[in-house]
Amino acid sequence: MNNNILRLEGKRVLVTGASSGLGAHFAEILSAAGAELVLTARRLDKLEEIKNKIHSAGGTATAIQMDVCSEESVVRSFQETGPLDVVINNAGISIIGSVDEMSESEWDQVIDTNLKGVWLVSKAAIKAWKTVNKSGNLINIASIAGIRPSNQLPPYIASKGAVIQLTKSIALDCARFNIRCNALCPGYIETDMNRTFLNSEAGHRQIKRIPFRRTGQLSELDGPLLLLASDASSYMSGSILVVDGAHLCSTL
Ligand SMILES: NC(=O)c1ccc[n+]([C@@H]2O[C@H](COP(=O)([O-])OP(=O)(O)OC[C@H]3O[C@@H](n4cnc5c(N)ncnc54)[C@H](OP(=O)(O)O)[C@@H]3O)[C@@H](O)[C@H]2O)c1
């Protein structure tokens, strides 16, 4: 057994949506494990803050502006990244509303960010990996909402369900190119995305339905993240890793 199996020295990892929440936390954890980070999102000022935190802790990171909804932006950013070993599709948004009241632009915003964005970034990464690295590792941040629905989130649920299937499709198509693709499905973790909801009456009721009776901590994703990012998962591809305090097992 190699005791350093979860270490990431020598690996360059790109994280989308690294300007807040899960993505910012992932960047710091991956850096602490030895990786060199490429931080991407739309808010460059926020990325610079995370980059400075990583540098203060002795790590290495660069910040590149990228809008995952735009192929032009994704391609331009990938021209600046240099070779990558791991790409984490983490950028995502949610808009609350019912199927019949949601506008076309709200629907498109969620699907373009959560699903098209994963495809565009995966496309850019895979193109480079097929020609340059001859190997690669994609991690898609899906959600338990892609497996079991919760109320008033139709495009979010549709996008995350699709990301789970896209993960399996990429795993199948890219296995012969030595490219792996797995999905991490977190349950509820308090971030900018859901803070208002989780602190509401409806949010408290939701938390009571989680068998652990609490939301997850960001740090409770560290082990699963490092497993997928490192060579410890070298025979895993197309896997859907759920980290949710048994939420998906909650009683009917
Ligand atoms: N928190 C949870 O309970 C939970 C549970 C399951 C799954 N997830 C998933 O985890 C991921 C991160 O969510 P979070 O909770 O950390 O939310 P968050 O704090 O709101 O972070 C979302 C990130 O996505 C980035 N982003 C949004 N639109 C983008 C775009 N068009 N291009 C590039 N970046 C974009 C944002 O950066 P900019 O605004 O700077 O671009 C931000 O860094 C999402 O995919 C979410 O669905 C979260």
Side-chain angles (χ1 to χ4, degrees):
M1 170 75 182
N2 175 359
N3 288 333
N4 290 324
I5 200 158
L6 297 176
R7 297 293 303 172
L8 298 172
E9 272 84 10
K11 292 200 193 292
R12 299 188 77 246
V13 183
L14 181 145
V15 182
T16 70
S19 57
S20 67
L22 270 57
H25 178 76
F26 290 164
E28 289 184 48
I29 292 306
L30 294 160
S31 173
E36 192 181 318
L37 266 294
V38 179
L39 313 170
T40 68
R42 292 166 303 177
R43 289 170 297 169
L44 201 50
D45 56 329
K46 294 273 177 198
L47 292 179
E48 291 292 338
E49 283 173 27
I50 312 294
K51 183 180 96 173
N52 291 338
K53 257 176 116 174
I54 288 174
H55 284 177
S56 305
T60 308
T62 47
I64 301 175
Q65 196 167 41
M66 185 206 292
D67 179 349
V68 299
C69 298
S70 151
E71 182 155 38
E72 189 264 326
S73 173
V74 171
V75 169
R76 187 166 20 83
S77 305
F78 267 79
Q79 284 164 353
E80 294 176 44
T81 62
L84 298 165
D85 300 286
V86 184
V87 169
I88 304 182
N89 276 308
N90 165 76
I93 60 167
S94 78
I95 296 177
I96 296 170
S98 60
V99 169
D100 51 318
E101 277 163 15
M102 186 143 290
S103 70
E104 185 178 1
S105 96
E106 288 173 322
W107 176 271
D108 286 347
Q109 253 179 278
V110 177
I111 298 293
D112 283 359
T113 310
N114 297 6
L115 177 57
K116 189 176 96 169
V118 171
W119 167 59
L120 288 175
V121 172
S122 302
K123 179 180 173 182
I126 290 166
K127 270 193 173 188
W129 284 334
K130 277 186 181 176
T131 52
V132 185
N133 294 42
K134 308 289 183 199
S135 70
N137 181 3
L138 267 176
I139 302 171
N140 295 332
I141 308 305
S143 167
I144 56 168
I147 299 172
R148 183 170 167 179
S150 83
N151 293 333
Q152 299 285 304
L153 290 169
Y156 185 81
I157 285 161
S159 67
K160 294 298 182 178
V163 164
I164 287 171
Q165 292 305 323
L166 178 61
T167 299
K168 296 178 190 178
S169 167
I170 293 171
L172 177 63
D173 286 348
C174 293
R176 68 203 165 98
F177 300 105
N178 204 19
I179 295 168
R180 302 192 288 119
C181 182
N182 293 292
L184 186 60
C185 291
Y188 280 101
I189 315 267
E190 190 173 311
T191 65
D192 292 352
M193 180 182 279
N194 54 24
R195 188 161 291 114
T196 306
F197 167 69
L198 289 174
N199 289 299
S200 68
E201 273 306 309
H204 292 153
R205 283 197 300 277
Q206 175 78 277
I207 293 167
K208 281 194 189 134
R209 289 197 291 274
I210 303 172
F212 277 26
R213 302 284 182 265
R214 65 173 178 85
T215 56
Q217 301 292 313
L218 283 169
S219 61
E220 290 177 306
L221 297 175
D222 297 355
L225 175 77
L226 291 175
L227 168 68
L228 295 183
S230 69
D231 295 339
S233 56
S234 56
Y235 199 55
M236 286 175 73
S237 196
S239 293
I240 311 303
L241 198 51
V242 171
V243 184
D244 71 341
H247 203 162
L248 283 181
C249 307
S250 59
T251 182
L252 296 174

